[in-house]
Amino acid sequence: MKDLIRRAAEDLMGAKRAVALTGAGISVESGIPPFRGSGGVWERIDPMEYGHIETFEVNPGRVWRGLIQELKDIIDRASPNDGHRGLARLESMGLLDAVITQNVDGLHQAAGSTDVLEFHGNCAWQRCMDCGEKVKSHDVDVSTLPPRCLCGGVFRPDWVFFGEDIPPMTLQRSQQLAMRCDLMLVVGTSAVVHPAAYMPVIARDTGARIIEINPERTPLTGTISDYLIRGGAGEVMNALIAELEGMK
Ligand code: OAD
């Protein structure tokens, strides 16, 4: 791993416009389960039953009880780990322009990253399905599920369910960042959900170097990415930051 850390540090130092794409894996060390793999949310419950907008519309109470409430509670208790802090540190060192994240937990912002694109929305806000009123999740009364707005409509998290579009401005800017970057760090994503997983492909097609950080191989490994640094995000980011600081 040491050689790859050195290589990644040199690649970052040589890059002019680096961006990161992150997924659930970066928040695992904060106690938030991933979606796939052992202990994953979708190993326990069916994504089409709990993660799809159509099933939410049919039975929002069931989705609140089976998924949203639990995830919201876990996220409420979570704080950033060395992976999030490492990316924020790269930004403050002038080595990373932005983070595109599929995560809804807000931990990149909590760690200090200032330009975060929430590709799948976030869990911090709830939106009324009828009148569109947006309320901070903390202020929503969850004593009966699904929680309801004063107008009587059902509250839903301000995240992207399967079957919904990515917020257009977020998608557009993410694509621009992917097209213009010359290095993309792909951290803790299985890279199987599109269009997020296209971002490294776009970056690669326009000549960027792609570095994966993940304990496991992904569909990008050996095809789209230049190399994979195998390991947990916290451990790898700590080693990378130490290497970069030693090079100053
Ligand atoms: P996944 O759960 O699909 O993948 C998590 C990835 O993190 C896997 O590749 C793991 O090997 C890796 N991983 C596990 N522990 C790690 C660690 N400590 N450090 C680094 N990596 C680690 O999560 P996503 O790729 O984010 O979408 O999933 C993409 C989307 O699928 C989510 O945003 C969500 C989900 O359904 C929606 O809900 C729309």
Side-chain angles (χ1 to χ4, degrees):
M1 178 164 108
K2 199 159 179 5
D3 286 353
L4 286 181
I5 293 288
R6 176 82 195 174
R7 185 171 166 196
E10 283 168 359
D11 284 343
L12 271 163
M13 290 291 256
K16 290 196 176 65
R17 289 177 306 276
V19 299
L21 170 71
T22 68
I26 198 168
S27 293
V28 162
E29 290 159 51
S30 294
I32 303 175
F35 290 95
R36 297 170 185 81
S38 99
V41 174
W42 301 148
E43 300 294 299
R44 196 166 42 81
I45 55 173
D46 182 343
M48 288 305 117
E49 275 180 48
Y50 287 91
H52 202 285
I53 187 60
E54 281 175 19
T55 42
F56 180 80
E57 280 169 352
V58 171
N59 195 342
R62 182 163 179 258
V63 176
W64 264 97
R65 284 187 294 276
L67 173 69
I68 302 170
Q69 187 59 39
E70 185 185 331
L71 216 58
K72 202 169 105 28
D73 286 348
I74 294 173
I75 289 172
D76 275 351
R77 290 195 298 270
S79 48
N81 65 55
D82 287 346
H84 304 105
R85 282 190 286 271
L87 290 180
R89 178 82 185 109
L90 287 183
E91 181 191 319
S92 68
M93 292 167 94
L95 297 174
L96 189 73
D97 291 351
V99 177
I100 304 166
T101 188
Q102 297 164 84
N103 300 345
V104 297
D105 55 32
L107 293 181
H108 286 299
Q109 297 91 322
S113 289
T114 62
D115 193 358
V116 181
L117 286 99
E118 294 178 312
F119 210 83
H120 291 158
N122 65 70
C123 195
W125 291 85
Q126 302 293 326
R127 183 153 43 92
C128 173
M129 300 277 284
D130 287 356
C131 72
E133 170 87 350
K134 271 178 90 168
V135 178
K136 279 238 167 230
S137 289
H138 289 297
D139 298 332
V140 167
D141 175 9
V142 289
S143 53
T144 52
L145 296 177
R148 290 186 182 272
C149 177
L150 288 177
C151 81
V154 166
F155 274 122
R156 54 155 294 167
D158 203 21
W159 70 36
V160 176
F161 281 98
F162 285 117
E164 293 190 301
D165 292 335
I166 306 303
M169 301 298 282
T170 307
L171 179 60
Q172 191 188 32
R173 185 144 181 265
S174 299
Q175 286 169 331
Q176 278 168 356
L177 285 166
M179 260 186 284
R180 290 180 193 158
C181 72
D182 54 0
L183 187 150
M184 183 178 277
L185 286 178
V186 181
V187 189
T189 177
S190 58
V192 294
V193 174
H194 294 98
Y198 280 132
M199 299 304 124
V201 180
I202 294 172
R204 176 74 195 190
D205 280 352
T206 47
R209 191 155 287 170
I210 314 292
I211 306 172
E212 279 187 276
I213 298 174
N214 199 311
E216 309 285 342
R217 293 172 62 86
T218 78
L220 304 176
T221 314
T223 54
I224 298 299
S225 63
D226 288 86
Y227 51 99
L228 162 69
I229 309 179
R230 268 192 192 243
E235 168 203 15
V236 173
M237 287 309 301
N238 283 345
L240 188 54
I241 299 293
E243 187 72 31
L244 285 161
E245 282 175 343
M247 286 163 77
K248 274 199 284 190

